[in-house]
Amino acid sequence: MISPTLFITIALYLAGLSYFLGALIYALPLPFPSLKQWGPTMMKDAIYVTVWVMIYNIVLSVADSILNLLGVNWTNFLTGLQNQTIELGVINFVLNFLGGGGLKSVSNFLSGGTTTTFITTISVSPSSSQVFSVTPFSKLQLVGEFIKDTGIVNIFASIVQDLFLFYLSVYILSVLIYNGTPLFITFGIFLMSLPFRIGRSIGATFIGTSLAFYIGLPLMSAFDSLIASAIYGAYTPPLAIIGQYIVEYLVARIAYIVLLAAIAGGLSRAIGETAEELPFKIQRYI
């Protein structure tokens, strides 16, 4: 099984290789300035990767400390998100069952195809009368036909289905981030350690995205409540409950995911571009 230690070990060896390659290129008496510029660049990148190798455990500890300071944790977040996803899945199944004529099928099954006359004769006009034959489950069947024909339930089923798929996607993403952040960060460090900056941008993206979502995802519920309270206030009118639910559990969460993606992009650029300028002169190590 691939472990973070494997990536860290390989990254450290590659950083050493990049440093000595850069020193060799910088020392060669070659009349190619563009080639010789790679010498200090590779040496700076090697030192930068070595720093990440030494501090990545500290970075994870700081991330956990931030979450504890804010009063949130991954266990409660994943449990709540899992329960909400299951509830939406059950509601989605019931609505699809009703919208697809399931209630009518159940009534037909329960009636067994038999007909019992409860209303024998109803006078429609003084000169005519009409006989109606109904089953014990005729009302259930009529309701099922009405639901299927009008398509009212299908509209709500479509909304709930989209909401369920969104929550399922967020839950899968959350599980991946929670269980895979150490591996993603060390894999990003490994990519950044490749010589000649082959994987620096992708590696920085792995590190920045993992950190942003690891810290940000458990704060999603607090963000939802903040947005809902800002829009509706402390009191929600009865007719606005559905709107509040949509705003709090769909619109706010989509906006929050987009916000986290933007923060991850900025953090990734910062990590990738920090290697351009180190806080010490590279000539000291030549």
Side-chain angles (χ1 to χ4, degrees):
M1 182 179 179
I2 299 178
S3 64
T5 306
L6 176 63
F7 286 128
I8 283 295
T9 303
I10 297 176
L12 192 59
Y13 283 119
L14 288 176
L17 176 63
S18 296
Y19 187 88
F20 288 110
L21 282 177
L24 177 62
I25 293 174
Y26 192 75
L28 287 177
L30 298 175
F32 304 109
S34 59
L35 178 61
K36 290 180 68 68
Q37 288 177 359
W38 275 104
T41 299
M42 293 179 65
M43 297 174 73
K44 287 190 294 184
D45 291 347
I47 296 173
Y48 184 62
V49 168
T50 304
V51 171
W52 267 105
V53 168
M54 293 186 295
I55 69 170
Y56 98 96
N57 278 324
I58 300 176
V59 170
L60 289 177
S61 299
V62 170
D64 290 330
S65 300
I66 292 174
L67 293 178
N68 293 331
L69 184 64
L70 295 174
V72 295
N73 61 76
W74 270 95
T75 302
N76 294 338
F77 169 70
L78 288 176
T79 301
L81 187 61
Q82 182 183 25
N83 292 336
Q84 292 173 345
T85 305
I86 293 174
E87 291 173 0
L88 287 173
V90 173
I91 296 173
N92 179 53
F93 172 78
V94 172
L95 290 178
N96 285 326
F97 176 78
L98 295 176
L103 193 61
K104 180 181 177 182
S105 300
V106 169
S107 66
N108 290 334
F109 173 77
L110 293 176
S111 64
T114 60
T115 302
T116 304
T117 303
F118 287 98
I119 305 175
T120 55
T121 303
I122 296 179
S123 296
V124 179
S125 64
S127 60
S128 64
S129 62
Q130 188 172 357
V131 177
F132 290 88
S133 297
V134 297
T135 69
F137 303 95
S138 59
K139 292 183 179 180
L140 186 64
Q141 185 174 2
L142 289 175
V143 173
E145 291 177 352
F146 174 79
I147 291 175
K148 182 178 180 181
D149 294 338
T150 56
I152 296 177
V153 175
N154 290 332
I155 298 175
F156 289 100
S158 177
I159 297 175
V160 173
Q161 182 177 6
D162 293 339
L163 192 62
F164 168 69
L165 293 177
F166 172 73
Y167 268 65
L168 183 61
S169 301
V170 173
Y171 178 74
I172 294 174
L173 173 64
S174 301
V175 172
L176 287 176
I177 292 296
Y178 176 64
N179 294 319
T181 291
L183 186 63
F184 295 152
I185 291 178
T186 53
F187 182 65
I189 296 173
F190 159 72
L191 291 176
M192 291 182 63
S193 68
L194 295 176
F196 300 102
R197 297 187 171 183
I198 296 175
R200 190 184 67 162
S201 297
I202 301 177
T205 301
F206 268 93
I207 298 174
T209 302
S210 300
L211 288 176
F213 279 85
Y214 184 80
I215 299 175
L217 279 177
L219 300 173
M220 180 182 292
S221 300
F223 180 82
D224 300 341
S225 302
L226 179 64
I227 295 298
S229 61
I231 295 176
Y232 293 97
Y235 172 72
T236 303
L239 296 179
I241 293 179
I242 298 178
Q244 181 184 7
Y245 187 87
I246 294 176
V247 169
E248 183 174 354
Y249 293 103
L250 180 61
V251 178
R253 296 206 165 185
I254 293 177
Y256 189 71
I257 293 295
V258 174
L259 177 63
L260 281 183
I263 295 174
L267 184 60
S268 300
R269 284 194 297 271
I271 293 173
E273 294 175 0
T274 303
E276 297 288 347
E277 295 294 336
L278 292 176
F280 39 76
K281 295 295 183 181
I282 191 66
Q283 283 78 7
R284 298 179 183 177
Y285 300 89
I286 295 178

